[in-house]
Amino acid sequence: MKKITALSTALLAATSICAFPGIASAATEKATECTGSLIERLTAKYGGGTVAELDIYFNGTTGVNCARMNHVGVTYGKKYFTMVYIGVCKETSPGPTCTITQNDSDEGNYTHYAGPVSVAARKHCIYVTAQLAYPTMANPRNLDTGDASHCG
């Protein structure tokens, strides 16, 4: 199942950057926003408060899905390793399998958000995953849509 391979690759890259911070240059957050309608918001909590939100959008005019992992609460404005990944599934209906055909990702030590990342996925499902290294890289907040979802 390619979804697991893509997720593993993304998380391995994330771990490598945090484990060897001198190797990666300082990341710059993208200035653009997602367009379209918010179709899902997943929240990560720690210590009783929300520390991150994964926002997923779909633009019905363009057929583009977009995702962004936002810092909120105590993490907002503070630099943490943050990543977001979105993939287009070959599948066209929700289910336990997502064979990734294309993807986009963003990661770095950000103060406000990772992303946005986007893919053209009209009439196909998507898979989205994100991570915020809070409170530590060894104990991060992870969010994802599960399997193939948001098909259309």
Side-chain angles (χ1 to χ4, degrees), residues 105-129:
S105 64
D106 182 40
E107 61 182 43
N109 292 310
Y110 297 133
T111 55
H112 296 94
Y113 56 85
V117 294
S118 59
V119 291
R122 187 180 304 279
K123 298 186 180 180
H124 287 272
C125 303
I126 60 169
Y127 171 74
V128 182
T129 187

Side-chain angles (χ1 to χ4, degrees), residues 6-59:
L7 174 58
S8 299
T9 301
L11 292 177
L12 178 60
T15 304
S16 298
I17 287 173
C18 287
F20 305 103
I23 294 174
S25 62
T28 304
E29 292 168 297
K30 294 181 181 180
T32 58
E33 300 290 327
C34 290
T35 61
S37 301
L38 181 68
I39 57 173
E40 186 170 7
R41 172 173 285 158
L42 301 171
T43 59
K45 299 192 181 292
Y46 184 82
T50 300
V51 296
E53 292 176 341
L54 172 58
D55 289 342
I56 305 167
Y57 294 81
F58 179 69
N59 185 320

